[in-house]
Amino acid sequence: MPSLDLQGVRLHYEDSGPAPGAGQGSQTLLFAHGLLWDGRLWEPQIEAFRDRYRCITFDFRGQGRTEVTDDGYDMDTLAEDAAALIEALDIGPCHFVGLSMGGFVGMRVAARRPELVRSLCLLETSSEPEPRKNVPRYRLLNFIARWFGLGLVAGRVMKILFGRTFLHDPTRADERRELRRRLVGNHRIGISRAVDGVIERQGIEGELGKIQAPTLILVGDEDVATIPAKSQRIHEGIAGSQLVIIPQAGHTSNLEQPEAVNAALEEFLTGVSAS
């Protein structure tokens, strides 16, 4: 399993697609997953783009196959982890694609280390702190998951992570079962610390103006975790950014509507390459 010691953490990553130096294929997409997931979140995108781009996924601290550390789960440290990975793999400037928590990190890297980011794609994310009204509910779910198991809260969490169309589609029952299995399989302590990092995050609205990389913002019209209005505010804060609403998708649009997400990403990357 490929991994690197960076910033005091053994960080797991997966590398696929054309090797460096293979013309257009040497362009790199770096995918950053959302809370409660790991690099496997991006399977539909890897499948779609690996023939033309080098595709790299990685797991954040305490999630997937990355080490569970005692600290370092705040968004600033996670952004430093991501920047260190880009430098260690010598893939900058890369196309950074981040969903939810991955977007929190992507905005920080793009604003603070612009030389590492060729373009930025943000899915289902926010530049703001966690709304205060959400914090007590998320803390309760986190407490139950840590001490009594993720299985007890998986049903409620699925309703946050996915839109109503996906959740009620009878033809996708097998997908829902597999995704629920992945949620329940998370490391209790690692996930608890990761959730705390998301809940306690600081906003980055004041830094959006520093982002100069071409930026695409995608949001599902059924997202209840980071509602479309939050994406609109990011769009207004990043000059020249593009905003695309994905129909019939919730907080995990890349899995719920992979064809629509891939098409939007394809058009965006083509435009970036032509510029």
Side-chain angles (χ1 to χ4, degrees):
M1 296 187 298
S3 59
L4 288 169
D5 288 312
L6 301 168
Q7 302 278 119
V9 60
R10 189 73 175 171
L11 190 145
H12 173 82
Y13 69 96
E14 297 285 344
D15 191 343
S16 61
Q24 183 181 3
S26 65
Q27 297 184 62
T28 300
L29 301 177
L30 180 64
F31 294 94
H33 65 81
L35 180 66
L36 305 176
W37 302 113
D38 55 38
R40 293 174 296 172
L41 176 78
W42 299 105
E43 289 168 346
Q45 286 66 53
I46 302 300
E47 181 65 25
F49 290 97
R50 65 183 301 170
D51 62 330
R52 290 155 295 149
Y53 294 87
R54 184 181 180 188
C55 295
I56 298 176
T57 65
F58 67 99
D59 300 343
F60 286 112
R61 295 178 184 235
Q63 300 180 78
R65 285 177 280 184
T66 287
E67 180 184 3
V68 177
T69 56
D70 291 335
D71 54 20
Y73 295 86
D74 61 283
M75 297 304 109
D76 292 342
T77 301
L78 296 183
E80 291 167 2
D81 289 347
L85 177 66
I86 294 170
E87 292 179 316
L89 295 178
D90 193 23
I91 58 172
C94 64
H95 302 284
F96 195 108
V97 185
L99 183 144
S100 191
M101 184 178 73
F104 304 158
V105 169
M107 284 182 277
R108 285 165 169 79
V109 177
R112 300 170 187 176
R113 299 294 307 275
E115 75 280 7
L116 299 180
V117 179
R118 175 69 180 92
S119 73
L120 180 64
C121 182
L122 303 170
L123 295 85
E124 319 300 337
T125 194
S126 172
S127 61
E128 304 159 23
E130 189 63 40
R132 296 178 67 177
K133 66 179 182 179
N134 292 344
V135 172
R137 177 173 55 136
Y138 289 171
R139 288 202 187 282
L140 176 60
L141 291 173
N142 199 25
F143 176 85
I144 295 170
R146 175 167 182 168
W147 295 106
F148 302 101
L150 286 145
L152 291 178
V153 300
R156 280 174 282 182
V157 172
M158 291 282 285
K159 292 178 181 179
I160 298 171
L161 294 177
F162 298 99
R164 59 184 179 274
T165 299
F166 177 79
L167 290 173
H168 294 99
D169 186 344
T171 68
R172 305 186 76 174
D174 288 344
E175 289 179 67
R176 291 194 295 271
R177 279 191 289 270
E178 169 59 17
L179 292 166
R180 187 185 187 281
R181 185 192 66 79
R182 292 184 188 183
L183 286 175
V184 173
N186 274 301
H187 190 288
R188 288 192 195 180
I189 303 302
I191 283 299
S192 176
R193 292 172 180 168
V195 170
D196 283 341
V198 166
I199 292 173
E200 297 167 3
R201 73 183 185 278
Q202 300 296 308
I204 193 174
E205 307 100 305
E207 296 185 56
L208 293 181
K210 298 179 182 178
I211 297 176
Q212 300 299 310
T215 300
L216 172 66
I217 304 159
L218 302 177
V219 63
D221 63 357
E222 299 177 4
D223 190 347
V224 297
T226 51
I227 60 175
K230 294 181 181 293
S231 288
Q232 177 64 39
R233 289 194 283 273
I234 296 173
H235 174 48
E236 293 169 357
I238 301 178
S241 62
Q242 304 173 38
L243 174 63
V244 175
I245 308 296
I246 305 296
Q248 297 184 313
H251 193 61
T252 319
S253 59
N254 72 303
L255 294 182
E256 297 173 65
Q257 299 292 345
E259 292 184 1
V261 168
N262 290 350
L265 187 54
E266 177 80 57
E267 182 177 355
F268 172 68
L269 291 171
T270 299
V272 171
S273 297
S275 63

